[in-house]
């Protein structure tokens, strides 16, 4: 009986975390560059239950498996491309990324599904490479984001909406040349910020767009910012090339990729499952009450 209480309680905790994850997605529907998070649940190991036979025969009868509960294993980010929304602001930048990988065995492009994932015949999972803006926080640590809602401060530094410094492809923070405003710069598809210097097109800086070949290795920090525990494991290179299927769009912002309809379905499903586990606990509570206060008196 107590095992049933623990199983139902673990289900309630899991659904609460699932509910919190979906609520976070809904709260960030209008956050530029936000990537939806999906809660992944996993069951505890099942137990094989058998009915022990009598002493004379020694025979036992197999009853079946008994589940021991579920837990919220992890939260995975979905890097599906969000829609680009035109803002007309020169300090806004959007990334349109559809990077691909070739299968080492066949040399052909890997057929990723709509979620950016591919599972081969052996069950090995491969994720689509993703592009991010490289930024630096106040502790001089490199981070990655898809939020291109940038601003320029009094010192000419290009910064994110959260205050991080935007990095160039050389790894240094981007500082606009003296006397230039962001409105005088035009970005090409590779992120080169070009201005007119007495009739000569001159590159002031190049946005440090990082191509992450293993985005599943990134760790979410909040506010649409990610970090790489080990850049070599995540296989990161900085700087877009002509061959890359990713472009920078100035005057655009990438919208959140949250599916609002699916989010509402998941929210209601988590609520229903939570209530079901709650009723199971109430049932066990009544059974224990009867066992202690009524049967125990006999």
């Amino acid at each position: 009986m107590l095992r049933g209480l623990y199983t139902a309680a673990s289900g309630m905790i899991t659904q609460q975390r699932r509910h919190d994850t979906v609520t976070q997605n809904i709260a960030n529907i209008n956050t530029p560059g936000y990537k939806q998070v999906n809660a992944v649940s996993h069951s505890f190991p099942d137990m094989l239950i058998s009915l022990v036979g009598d002493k004379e025969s020694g025979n036992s009868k197999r009853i079946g498996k008994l589940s021991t509960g579920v837990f919220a294993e992890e939260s995975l980010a979905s890097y599906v491309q969000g829609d680009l929304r035109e803002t007309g602001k020169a300090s806004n930048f959007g990334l349109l990324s559809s990077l691909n990988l070739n299968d080492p065995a066949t040399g052909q492009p890997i057929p990723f599904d709509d979620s950016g994932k591919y599972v081969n015949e052996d069950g090995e999972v491969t994720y689509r490479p993703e592009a991010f803006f490289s930024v630096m926080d106040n502790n001089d640590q490199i981070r990655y984001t898809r939020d291109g809602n940038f601003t320029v401060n009094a010192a000419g530094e290009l910064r994110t909406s959260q205050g991080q410094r935007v990095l160039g492809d050389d790894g240094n923070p981007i500082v606009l040349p003296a006397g230039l405003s962001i409105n005088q710069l035009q970005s090409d598809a590779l992120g080169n910020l070009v201005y007119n210097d007495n009739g000569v097109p001159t590159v002031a800086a190049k946005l440090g767009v990082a191509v992450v070949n293993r985005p599943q290795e990134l760790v979410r920090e909040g506010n649409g910012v990610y970090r790489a525990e080990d850049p070599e494991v995540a296989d990161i290179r900085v700087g877009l090339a002509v061959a890359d299927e990713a472009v920078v769009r100035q005057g655009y912002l990438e919208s959140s990729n949250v599916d609002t309809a699916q989010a509402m379905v998941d929210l209601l499903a988590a609520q229903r499952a939570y209530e079901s586990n709650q009723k199971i606990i109430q049932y066990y509570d009544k059974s224990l009450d009867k066992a202690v206060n009524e049967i125990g008196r006999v």
Side-chain angles (χ1 to χ4, degrees):
M1 185 176 294
L2 290 178
R3 184 182 293 118
L5 278 173
Y6 294 139
T7 300
S10 68
M12 290 180 66
I13 295 173
T14 298
Q15 296 306 323
Q16 181 180 3
R17 293 181 178 175
R18 180 186 177 191
H19 184 278
D20 293 342
T21 299
V22 178
T23 302
Q24 174 184 321
N25 290 334
I26 295 175
N28 286 277
I29 288 177
N30 295 320
T31 302
Y34 178 81
K35 297 303 177 183
Q36 176 174 298
V37 181
N38 299 316
V40 178
S41 300
H42 193 277
S43 62
F44 289 106
D46 291 340
M47 298 176 62
L48 183 62
I49 305 299
S50 298
L51 179 64
V52 179
D54 54 43
K55 294 182 179 180
E56 296 180 359
S57 64
N59 295 326
S60 60
K61 181 180 179 181
R62 180 175 295 181
I63 298 176
K65 293 181 179 180
L66 175 67
S67 176
T68 56
V70 65
F71 66 98
E73 184 176 26
E74 59 181 335
S75 295
L76 298 178
S78 172
Y79 297 105
V80 174
Q81 175 71 44
D83 296 332
L84 291 188
R85 173 172 53 87
E86 185 173 6
T87 64
K89 294 181 63 175
S91 59
N92 290 163
F93 297 88
L95 280 174
L96 188 61
S97 175
S98 58
L99 297 165
N100 279 312
L101 282 177
N102 290 332
D103 191 336
T106 63
Q108 299 297 320
I110 296 177
F112 294 104
D113 59 18
D114 293 337
S115 66
K117 184 173 65 175
Y118 170 72
V119 182
N120 63 15
E121 297 178 351
D122 298 326
E124 298 177 349
V125 181
T126 304
Y127 293 89
R128 182 193 299 275
E130 297 293 338
F132 296 85
F133 295 111
S134 300
V135 299
M136 181 177 288
D137 62 16
N138 295 329
N139 296 320
D140 295 336
Q141 300 296 317
I142 296 178
R143 298 292 184 260
Y144 307 96
T145 182
R146 289 291 287 258
D147 184 0
N149 186 20
F150 302 151
T151 59
V152 179
N153 62 13
E157 296 177 325
L158 195 62
R159 291 186 175 252
T160 68
S161 57
Q162 302 298 324
Q164 295 105 342
R165 290 163 288 177
V166 181
L167 300 180
D169 65 338
D170 57 358
N172 296 318
I174 294 178
V175 181
L176 303 186
L180 279 182
S181 70
I182 189 66
N183 294 321
Q184 295 175 276
L185 299 178
Q186 291 186 343
S187 173
D188 61 12
L190 300 179
N192 291 300
L193 302 179
V194 182
Y195 68 97
N196 191 339
D197 185 10
N198 295 323
V200 179
T202 304
V203 177
K206 182 178 181 180
L207 293 173
V209 178
V211 176
V212 184
N213 287 309
R214 302 186 67 189
Q216 71 273 16
E217 298 294 336
L218 296 180
V219 179
R220 178 186 295 267
E221 287 194 343
N223 297 319
V225 177
Y226 302 85
R227 74 172 185 272
E229 296 287 358
D230 190 337
E232 292 186 1
V233 173
D235 193 7
I236 300 174
R237 63 176 173 85
V238 179
L240 285 180
V242 177
D244 290 328
E245 296 182 65
V247 296
V248 177
R249 295 282 180 86
Q250 187 178 18
Y252 288 81
L253 283 178
E254 182 183 3
S255 301
S256 165
N257 68 349
V258 175
D259 186 338
T260 54
Q262 185 61 47
M264 292 305 301
V265 171
D266 293 341
L267 196 66
L268 292 175
Q271 180 182 356
R272 298 298 187 190
Y274 184 92
E275 292 174 349
S276 298
N277 284 284
Q278 186 180 35
K279 291 180 179 179
I280 293 295
I281 290 181
Q282 291 173 348
Y283 168 79
Y284 277 118
D285 180 64
K286 292 180 180 179
S287 299
L288 288 172
D289 177 69
K290 181 171 290 189
V292 173
N293 296 317
E294 296 183 19
I295 300 177
R297 294 177 181 176
V298 178

